[in-house]
Amino acid sequence: GAGVSQSPSNKVTEKGKDVELRCDPISGHTALYWYRQRLGQGLEFLIYFQGNSAPDKSGLPSDRFSAERTGESVSTLTIQRTQQEDSAVYLCASRPIMLQGRGYGYTFGSGTRLTVV
Amino acid sequence: DAKTTQPNSMESNEEEPVHLPCNHSTISGTDYIHWYRQLPSQGPEYVIHGLTSNVNNRMASLAIAEDRKSSTLILHRATLRDAAVYYCILRKNYGGSQGNLIFGKGTKLSVKP
């Protein structure tokens, strides 16, 4: 497709269960980012992937959070043993490789709204 | 990344121009100025970005001060659909370097009919 696709769009889960969120970036975009946005709050960076480089996991809030990316395509964000404070919209963004002296805009998906009950 | 400062909120009337200010006094020579907006219940949307010269695209114009310590996003004729939170973000650009966008609180723009 033309944009960043995320699934599911909504997910309700019971506290303690594991969830897996999926992101399909734009074809050819080498960089992929995950953000979290709690209700009424700004975006919090979680993790980013750039080609075959080691991912930057500096934003992951705990070891219950992990993410993988297959090459330069699909990424999955996994939250284990979900807690109520994990309830948020999880947003994925992708961008093409940045050439020296130029900047590229990020394209965001519509997000997955996660509700932990 | 260098910090940006924006007003918490602004109001505009429909079909009038809107000037959204952003201060970035600690900007460095390698920082691009990016603007994104987030409509209710949607992910952020890229609006425009620039380095030194003013920029125009189909969505908006970006006016950058000569010393680059401030910039203004200009919506030439506000519509109800432009009601959103507007984020001004600085991003470094090196050859091959990637990194995340650091979102502040942005400016919540309300558009009155």
Side-chain angles (χ1 to χ4, degrees):
Chain A
V4 176
S5 177
Q6 291 189 246
S7 60
S9 55
N10 281 285
K11 176 73 176 177
V12 180
T13 189
E14 291 181 354
K15 180 181 172 180
K17 301 278 191 186
D18 298 352
V19 295
E20 194 172 273
L21 313 180
R22 177 187 170 107
C23 172
D24 282 275
I26 292 174
S27 177
H29 281 196
T30 58
L32 184 147
Y33 306 80
W34 283 97
Y35 290 84
R36 176 173 72 178
Q37 187 171 33
R38 291 192 169 112
L39 185 64
Q41 303 296 311
L43 277 76
E44 301 172 68
F45 164 73
L46 297 177
I47 187 171
Y48 94 87
F49 298 88
Q50 167 56 49
N52 294 320
S53 302
D56 177 352
K57 305 179 182 180
S58 60
L60 294 179
S62 77
D63 58 9
R64 295 187 296 104
F65 288 72
S66 63
E68 292 184 350
R69 187 180 185 193
T70 307
E72 294 185 353
S73 60
V74 172
S75 175
T76 55
L77 176 69
T78 302
I79 308 173
Q80 297 178 308
R81 305 181 301 282
T82 52
Q83 304 294 314
Q84 287 186 327
E85 62 262 28
D86 299 334
S87 296
V89 175
Y90 290 82
L91 291 154
C92 175
S94 71
R95 67 181 293 175
I97 190 167
M98 208 183 323
L99 299 177
Q100 187 166 8
R102 299 192 60 184
Y104 291 91
Y106 294 55
T107 302
F108 283 81
S110 297
T112 293
R113 182 175 298 279
L114 176 66
T115 304
V116 182
V117 298
Chain B
D1 291 292
K3 181 180 171 60
T4 63
T5 305
Q6 299 177 253
N8 290 333
S9 62
M10 290 183 66
E11 279 191 352
S12 173
N13 294 317
E14 196 176 11
E15 298 190 3
E16 289 186 356
V18 183
H19 291 230
L20 296 161
C22 181
N23 288 321
H24 28 79
S25 58
T26 59
I27 192 171
S28 73
T30 54
D31 287 333
Y32 273 74
I33 302 159
H34 285 242
W35 282 83
Y36 284 76
R37 71 179 185 182
Q38 188 172 23
L39 278 65
S41 302
Q42 295 189 26
E45 174 186 29
Y46 167 79
V47 178
I48 200 166
H49 76 277
L51 183 63
T52 56
S53 303
N54 294 343
V55 184
N56 299 295
N57 66 21
R58 64 176 179 80
M59 291 180 70
S61 296
L62 176 60
I64 302 172
E66 196 168 332
D67 63 4
R68 300 211 323 128
K69 293 184 185 298
S70 65
S71 61
T72 302
L73 179 70
I74 302 165
L75 307 179
H76 296 285
R77 287 181 72 235
T79 69
L80 297 178
R81 196 191 171 280
D82 292 322
V85 177
Y86 287 78
Y87 298 98
C88 169
I89 302 166
L90 301 183
R91 271 304 306 142
K92 293 194 182 298
N93 283 269
Y94 312 121
S97 175
Q98 300 283 345
N100 70 85
L101 292 171
I102 300 176
F103 285 78
K105 294 189 182 301
T107 297
K108 184 174 182 178
L109 176 66
S110 302
V111 180
K112 295 183 289 185

